[in-house]
Amino acid sequence: MNRRDFARLVAGAAAGLGMRSPTQGPLPTRPLGRTGLDVPILSLGGSHVGSAGSEAVARRLVETAYAEGIRFFDTAESYQAGRSERWIGLALRDVRQSVWLMSKTFAFPERTAESARRHLEGSLERLRTDYLDFWQLHSIRSVADVDRAFGPGGAMEYLLEARARNLVRYIGVTGHARPAAHLRALQYWDRGIRFEVMQLPLNPVDYHQRSFQREVLPELVERGIGVIAMKTSADGRLVRDRLCTAAECLRYVWSLPVALAVVGMERPALVRENARLAREFQPMAAGELDALRARIAPRARLALEWYKR
């Protein structure tokens, strides 16, 4: 579906179902690798939806995201034992064809095709859909972990099968512990096990320690794999420790060669603020990027990115 057809579908769905179209204009979009899709640069993180406290609160969060132009929704079967998927599925059931849904399969440490199959069946039921737009191998942690998932009978075997059967449109890999794990997955990509997207932590402090930006991002760009950023403020630590603002973190990440950023947003007000930042985004110049990294460098420590430890 091209951009014009998708926009027409979104407008029709919103008008017919009472869902509000973007109140301040659409969000900027970017190509997502070689998928042929143009996606908004801001996505709602599903873990925070599952932690919203109630289905009604979660619905308000998702509906605010939709009203602000967010059309890419992230979740995983492991988030709150499936609650995130259930609440997102309920909130988006009437506009399913006008959004992109992304979920993930975890099953660490087994990483088997059978566990992935069970996860997909559960995800489709909870999300109230018969297909996923994106389905990812969730949270790879080491080279050995990747070898299990990509080996015979591994989870990637079923990801490929699900894509061939049109149960999912695109597949990918996500992780936030070690760049070496992502690089190992890319070795399998080079051998012909092709996936379309990869999700990884990107933020100003990542540049200084076990850096996904320096080690993995150039490899993704070279291969034309769609880049999905996460942990844009190091799970909030950069903001809480006053190393930089949330606005600086997002502007930094959007100034990199990424397609979109998955951002956890606990309240509708945060959704509206981040959507505003997306609409007003202007790329940082090279000097600005360097200055922000230099400002943070003296305080960089791995404890700021607990997920890498």
Side-chain angles (χ1 to χ4, degrees), residues 49 147 241:
V49 176
D147 287 342
D241 287 15

Side-chain angles (χ1 to χ4, degrees), residues 233-244 266 299 304 306:
S233 61
D235 230 13
R237 286 295 303 273
L238 297 182
V239 178
R240 289 194 297 273
D241 287 15
R242 299 186 178 183
L243 274 73
C244 56
E266 300 91 344
R299 298 179 62 186
L304 288 169
W306 61 268

Side-chain angles (χ1 to χ4, degrees), residues 69-264:
I70 291 174
R71 295 293 181 267
F72 198 108
F73 291 86
D74 159 88
T75 186
E77 53 81 27
S78 62
Y79 292 164
Q80 297 84 32
R83 187 172 66 223
S84 170
E85 289 183 325
R86 285 194 298 273
W87 285 352
I88 288 175
L90 283 167
L92 293 175
R93 59 184 171 180
D94 292 332
V95 292
R96 170 65 186 96
Q97 298 304 313
S98 66
V99 299
W100 291 288
L101 284 179
M102 178 174 72
S103 195
K104 316 177 191 80
T105 173
F106 186 40
F108 179 84
E110 295 84 3
R111 299 290 195 192
T112 64
E114 176 59 23
S115 63
R117 182 192 62 78
R118 293 196 307 270
H119 288 169
L120 182 58
E121 289 178 355
S123 292
L124 293 174
E125 180 180 0
R126 288 185 291 270
L127 286 165
R128 296 170 177 251
T129 184
D130 57 2
Y131 73 98
L132 292 178
D133 298 286
F134 294 88
W135 193 38
Q136 297 206 77
L137 181 66
H138 194 186
S139 190
I140 56 172
R141 301 186 173 192
S142 66
V143 168
D145 186 23
V146 172
D147 287 342
R148 281 193 296 272
F150 279 76
M156 183 53 69
E157 187 175 283
Y158 188 73
L159 268 77
L160 294 166
E161 178 183 336
R163 185 178 62 185
R165 293 172 56 195
N166 295 318
L167 295 173
V168 300
R169 296 177 64 193
Y170 306 102
I171 61 174
V173 177
T174 171
H176 34 52
R178 290 172 175 79
H182 283 64
L183 295 174
R184 183 67 161 185
L186 291 178
Q187 290 179 4
Y188 283 99
W189 191 94
D190 291 339
R191 298 172 195 168
I193 301 179
R194 297 297 173 90
F195 45 88
E196 289 84 13
V197 297
M198 183 170 268
Q199 190 168 344
L200 63 165
L202 293 169
N203 58 66
V205 79
D206 164 80
Y207 187 85
H208 300 293
Q209 50 196 27
R210 290 188 187 170
S211 179
F212 286 86
Q213 180 182 339
R214 289 188 288 108
E215 297 184 44
V216 181
L217 184 58
E219 302 295 329
L220 300 179
V221 172
E222 180 180 341
R223 290 166 175 80
I225 296 171
V227 181
I228 300 175
M230 62 177 167
K231 309 293 186 190
T232 56
S233 61
D235 230 13
R237 286 295 303 273
L238 297 182
V239 178
R240 289 194 297 273
D241 287 15
R242 299 186 178 183
L243 274 73
C244 56
T245 67
E248 286 177 315
C249 290
L250 279 174
R251 190 176 174 219
Y252 178 91
V253 171
W254 284 328
S255 297
L256 303 177
V258 306
L260 72 154
V262 172
V263 181

